[in-house]
């Protein structure tokens, strides 16, 4: 509506001005009508020209402003995207490192559990064969301590395997390994317990040339080692991604 009024004013003003200058009320002004018309025409033309320049400049400034806003929004979106990606990579790295620590704990736990089992078998065999009667009471106390400590092993196995299964959600490709390890570790603990409270079961483990007497100890340790290697590879892969983005 405003544009239409402006256009009508622009067209109608010269016509109205010409008619007004021909009225007797304006005849006292010196000069010819044609001169006044030329003057007012130049005056109005200058106003129109200035108005056009103003509106064109305003339009360009408006477009530049819109372009700047779009550029700022786009940069913000890219910045947020980069920050989110960086956050995800950092989170994954943290979870991988934490998983490695849990695997190391379980590895040490397996070795300690097996070593305690070896001691139990050795002490029990010495007592039953009466190889060192003078130290029999000492061996019995050590066996009692091994049985007591075995309950603590169970609590630690549950705690660490539960954490391992939770962390495996951040790396689904290792979830099957973690599930199998959980079953094997609980089976390892149950195997030792069965021997601790059996009179003659220990005789099945009198194998002095074997490093790991418990059935799945070697499998558990080798699987944990492979798992740690796989997680280290994942960490290196994530670090390479970060390095490429920086460069």
């Amino acid at each position: 509506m405003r544009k239409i009024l402006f256009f009508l004013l622009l067209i109608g003003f010269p016509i109205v001005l010409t008619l007004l200058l021909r009225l007797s009320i304006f005849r006292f002004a010196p000069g010819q009508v044609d001169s006044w018309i030329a003057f007012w025409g130049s005056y109005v033309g200058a106003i129109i020209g200035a108005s056009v320049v103003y509106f064109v400049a305003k339009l360009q400034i408006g477009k530049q402003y819109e372009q700047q806003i779009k550029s700022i929004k786009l940069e913000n979106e890219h910045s947020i995207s980069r920050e989110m990606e960086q956050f995800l990579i950092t989170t994954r790295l943290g979870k991988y490192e934490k998983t490695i620590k849990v695997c190391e704990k379980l590895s040490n736990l397996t070795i300690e559990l097996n070593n305690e089992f070896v001691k139990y078998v050795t002490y029990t065999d010495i007592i039953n064969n009466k190889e060192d009667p003078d130290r029999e009471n000492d061996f019995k106390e050590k066996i009692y301590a091994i049985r007591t400590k075995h309950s603590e092993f169970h609590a630690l196995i549950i705690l660490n395997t539960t954490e391992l299964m939770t962390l495996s959600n951040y790396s689904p490709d290792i979830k099957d390994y973690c599930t199998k390890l959980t079953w094997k570790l609980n089976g390892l603990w149950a195997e030792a317990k069965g021997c601790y409270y059996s009179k003659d079961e220990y005789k099945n483990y009198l194998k002095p040339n074997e490093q790991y007497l418990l059935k799945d100890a070697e499998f558990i340790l080798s699987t944990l080692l492979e798992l740690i290697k796989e997680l280290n590879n994942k960490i290196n892969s994530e670090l390479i991604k970060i390095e490429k983005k920086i460069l």
Side-chain angles (χ1 to χ4, degrees), residues 23 27 47 149 205 208 218 227:
L23 296 176
R27 289 181 182 176
I47 293 175
K149 190 177 181 180
Y205 296 92
E218 188 171 0
L227 199 53

Side-chain angles (χ1 to χ4, degrees), residues 3-247:
K3 292 181 179 180
I4 294 174
L5 291 174
F6 178 77
F7 180 75
L8 293 175
L9 180 63
L10 188 64
I11 299 298
F13 182 76
I15 298 172
V16 173
L17 181 61
T18 302
L19 295 175
L20 289 174
L21 289 173
R22 293 182 181 279
L23 296 176
S24 58
I25 191 173
F26 291 104
R27 289 181 182 176
F28 65 88
Q32 299 296 320
V33 173
D34 293 341
S35 299
W36 280 105
I37 291 174
F39 168 75
W40 285 109
S42 299
Y43 184 75
V44 172
I47 293 175
I48 293 172
S51 300
V52 170
V53 172
Y54 170 76
F55 285 116
V56 170
K58 185 177 181 181
L59 181 63
Q60 289 179 342
I61 291 171
K63 287 184 178 179
Q64 288 177 355
Y65 176 76
E66 290 178 0
Q67 187 63 38
Q68 288 176 347
I69 293 297
K70 288 181 181 179
S71 298
I72 291 171
K73 287 182 178 179
L74 187 61
E75 179 61 28
N76 285 338
E77 289 175 358
H78 288 166
S79 178
I80 292 171
S81 177
R82 287 194 298 269
E83 289 177 2
M84 285 296 296
E85 187 175 0
Q86 183 67 30
F87 172 77
L88 291 173
I89 291 174
T90 304
T91 301
R92 283 198 295 269
L93 284 173
K95 298 302 180 182
Y96 293 158
E97 290 173 354
K98 198 169 183 180
T99 306
I100 288 174
K101 289 181 180 179
V102 173
C103 287
E104 290 173 347
K105 287 180 183 178
L106 288 171
S107 181
N108 293 333
L109 193 61
T110 301
I111 293 172
E112 190 175 357
L113 181 61
N114 184 81
N115 290 342
E116 291 296 303
F117 185 75
V118 171
K119 291 177 184 178
Y120 170 81
V121 171
T122 303
Y123 297 153
T124 304
D125 189 51
I126 291 173
I127 291 171
N128 288 342
N129 291 328
K130 300 186 181 299
E131 295 178 9
D132 194 349
D134 295 336
R135 298 184 59 194
E136 184 171 326
N137 290 331
D138 181 40
F139 290 140
K140 287 181 178 179
E141 288 179 2
K142 289 180 178 180
I143 288 173
Y144 176 80
I146 290 171
R147 287 171 175 168
T148 303
K149 190 177 181 180
H150 197 60
S151 298
E152 297 176 7
F153 280 133
H154 191 225
L156 290 172
I157 287 172
I158 292 174
L159 178 65
N160 285 283
T161 53
T162 300
E163 187 175 7
L164 183 66
M165 290 302 299
T166 301
L167 290 168
S168 69
N169 291 323
Y170 293 91
S171 186
D173 55 322
I174 68 169
K175 202 172 186 68
D176 288 342
Y177 289 102
C178 296
T179 302
K180 187 176 290 186
L181 280 169
T182 299
W183 283 102
K184 291 290 185 180
L185 281 161
N186 280 287
L188 195 75
W189 179 85
E191 181 185 355
K193 181 184 178 182
C195 185
Y196 289 160
Y197 294 95
S198 172
K199 184 179 179 180
D200 297 321
E201 184 69 18
Y202 80 95
K203 294 179 181 179
N204 296 324
Y205 296 92
L206 292 173
K207 303 172 184 178
N209 296 326
E210 293 195 15
Q211 183 179 3
Y212 304 108
L213 298 186
L214 291 169
K215 183 174 62 176
D216 290 323
E218 188 171 0
F219 170 81
I220 291 170
L221 290 170
S222 62
T223 303
L224 285 168
L225 181 61
E226 288 299 320
L227 199 53
I228 290 172
K229 288 181 180 179
E230 178 65 23
L231 289 165
N232 278 319
N233 290 335
K234 287 178 179 290
I235 289 174
N236 291 332
S237 177
E238 295 293 347
L239 291 175
I240 290 171
K241 288 180 183 178
I242 294 174
E243 186 178 355
K244 285 182 178 179
K245 289 184 181 296
I246 293 174
L247 297 176

